[in-house]
Amino acid sequence: MKTQPTHTVPKSGATENIETRIIEAAKQEFIEKGFEQTSMSDIAAVVGINRPTLHYYFRTKDKMFQAVFASIVSHFLPHIDAIFSKQEPFEKKLGEVIDIYFGIFSSNPLLPKFIIGEIHRDVNHLIDTFYSLNFDQYLSHIGELLKQEIDKNHLEKVPMQFLFMTFYSQITFPFLSRNLSQKLFFDDDPEEYARFLPQWKQHIIAQILLLLNPREGLPL
C-alpha cells in the first residue's frame, strides 16, 4: 500500500525562505518553458517539495505567475520611476535606465523571449496581471515625467507609442538575437559581445535624442 505524501505547514521562520525559493524556481521554469508548458509539479520538483506544500503558498498557477511577474517588474519599474524623478540631464537618466535593463537581461537572457511569448500567448492575461499588482501607477508617473521633460526642453511632441516602440525594440532585440548576432559579428565570442553592449547603449541614447529633437540630436 502506497503512502500518501503528507503536507506539513512550515514553521514561520522557514516560510519566507521557501516562498522565495518557489518564486525563483517558478520564474526560471516560466522563462524557460512559458506559462502554459510549466506545471505545478515541475515547480515543486525543482524546489524539492510536494504539491500540497506548494499549494500552501500558491493555490493556483495564476497566483504563482503574479508573484513571479511582480518579482521581475519590481526589479526595474520602481527604479526607473526613481531615475526619471531625479534632477539630472535627460541623457544621463536615459543611460541609467538602459543600464538597468541590460543588467537584468544579461542575468536573465531568456527573459525578453518569455515576455514576448506571453504577449503573443495571452496579452490580456499579462495586462490584467500588471494592473492587479498596481504597477500602472508607475507607468502613469513615468509618462508624466517624460511629458514634463519634453515640455521643459522644448522638444518635439513625439507620440508615446513612438518612444515606447523605439526604446523597447532596441533594448530587447540584442538579447533576442544574441545567438545569431554573436556568431555573425563577434566570432561567437561572448566577451566580445559583452563589450559591444556599451556601444549599443550609446546608439540607443542617440536614437532617442534624435527622435525627441530631430533638428539637433544633441545631448539634453
Side-chain angles (χ1 to χ4, degrees), residues 12-111:
S12 58
T15 299
E16 184 177 344
N17 181 49
I18 295 176
E19 185 170 336
T20 300
R21 286 168 51 204
I22 290 172
I23 292 173
E24 186 59 32
K27 181 174 77 171
Q28 295 306 318
E29 290 293 297
F30 284 145
I31 288 174
E32 290 178 14
K33 301 176 183 177
F35 179 79
E36 285 189 335
Q37 299 304 315
T38 299
S39 70
M40 297 288 270
S41 295
D42 292 336
I43 296 166
V46 171
V47 181
I49 58 178
N50 55 31
R51 283 283 296 269
T53 301
L54 183 64
H55 285 294
Y56 170 79
Y57 292 94
F58 299 99
R59 295 182 62 185
T60 66
K61 190 165 70 166
D62 199 61
K63 290 291 185 185
M64 188 174 296
F65 183 83
Q66 286 186 0
V68 168
F69 192 72
S71 74
I72 293 171
V73 176
S74 63
H75 274 86
F76 60 88
L77 203 52
H79 299 296
I80 292 170
D81 182 69
I83 287 169
F84 278 121
S85 298
K86 292 193 292 188
Q87 296 299 315
E88 292 180 344
F90 179 71
E91 182 181 9
K92 186 175 188 302
K93 290 189 278 192
L94 187 58
E96 291 177 15
V97 169
I98 294 170
D99 286 339
I100 288 176
Y101 278 106
F102 276 8
I104 292 170
F105 291 162
S106 294
S107 300
N108 302 274
L110 294 178
L111 183 56

Side-chain angles (χ1 to χ4, degrees), residues 183-194:
K183 190 171 287 290
L184 286 177
F185 305 115
F186 303 100
D187 296 323
D188 212 12
D189 185 345
E191 293 183 1
E192 283 292 324
Y193 188 83

Side-chain angles (χ1 to χ4, degrees), residues 1-217:
M1 180 178 178
K2 291 184 178 180
T3 303
Q4 293 296 321
T6 58
H7 166 50
T8 304
V9 176
K11 297 179 181 179
S12 58
T15 299
E16 184 177 344
N17 181 49
I18 295 176
E19 185 170 336
T20 300
R21 286 168 51 204
I22 290 172
I23 292 173
E24 186 59 32
K27 181 174 77 171
Q28 295 306 318
E29 290 293 297
F30 284 145
I31 288 174
E32 290 178 14
K33 301 176 183 177
F35 179 79
E36 285 189 335
Q37 299 304 315
T38 299
S39 70
M40 297 288 270
S41 295
D42 292 336
I43 296 166
V46 171
V47 181
I49 58 178
N50 55 31
R51 283 283 296 269
T53 301
L54 183 64
H55 285 294
Y56 170 79
Y57 292 94
F58 299 99
R59 295 182 62 185
T60 66
K61 190 165 70 166
D62 199 61
K63 290 291 185 185
M64 188 174 296
F65 183 83
Q66 286 186 0
V68 168
F69 192 72
S71 74
I72 293 171
V73 176
S74 63
H75 274 86
F76 60 88
L77 203 52
H79 299 296
I80 292 170
D81 182 69
I83 287 169
F84 278 121
S85 298
K86 292 193 292 188
Q87 296 299 315
E88 292 180 344
F90 179 71
E91 182 181 9
K92 186 175 188 302
K93 290 189 278 192
L94 187 58
E96 291 177 15
V97 169
I98 294 170
D99 286 339
I100 288 176
Y101 278 106
F102 276 8
I104 292 170
F105 291 162
S106 294
S107 300
N108 302 274
L110 294 178
L111 183 56
K113 178 184 174 184
F114 165 71
I115 294 171
I116 289 175
E118 289 304 302
I119 290 172
H120 284 283
R121 184 187 69 82
D122 189 346
V123 69
N124 290 325
H125 178 243
L126 198 66
I127 292 172
D128 289 344
T129 302
F130 189 87
Y131 278 96
S132 71
L133 296 165
N134 297 318
F135 283 134
D136 55 303
Q137 62 181 319
Y138 289 110
L139 279 190
S140 296
H141 190 226
I142 291 168
E144 286 300 317
L145 292 171
L146 284 173
K147 288 176 184 176
Q148 290 172 22
E149 199 77 50
I150 288 171
D151 291 339
K152 180 179 70 176
N153 290 288
H154 306 291
L155 305 176
E156 296 292 318
K157 303 294 184 181
V158 179
M160 195 58 66
Q161 60 265 34
F162 280 75
L163 280 174
F164 177 87
M165 292 184 186
T166 300
F167 182 77
Y168 282 104
S169 63
Q170 298 201 36
I171 281 283
T172 57
F173 191 74
F175 296 92
L176 291 168
S177 67
R178 177 168 184 163
N179 289 344
L180 178 63
S181 298
Q182 190 170 286
K183 190 171 287 290
L184 286 177
F185 305 115
F186 303 100
D187 296 323
D188 212 12
D189 185 345
E191 293 183 1
E192 283 292 324
Y193 188 83
R195 284 191 285 270
F196 154 76
L197 287 178
Q199 300 172 45
W200 186 253
K201 169 188 168 181
Q202 295 305 315
H203 171 77
I204 297 173
I205 293 172
Q207 290 300 309
I208 296 297
L209 295 181
L210 188 61
L211 185 65
L212 290 173
N213 196 3
R215 290 165 296 181
E216 301 290 340

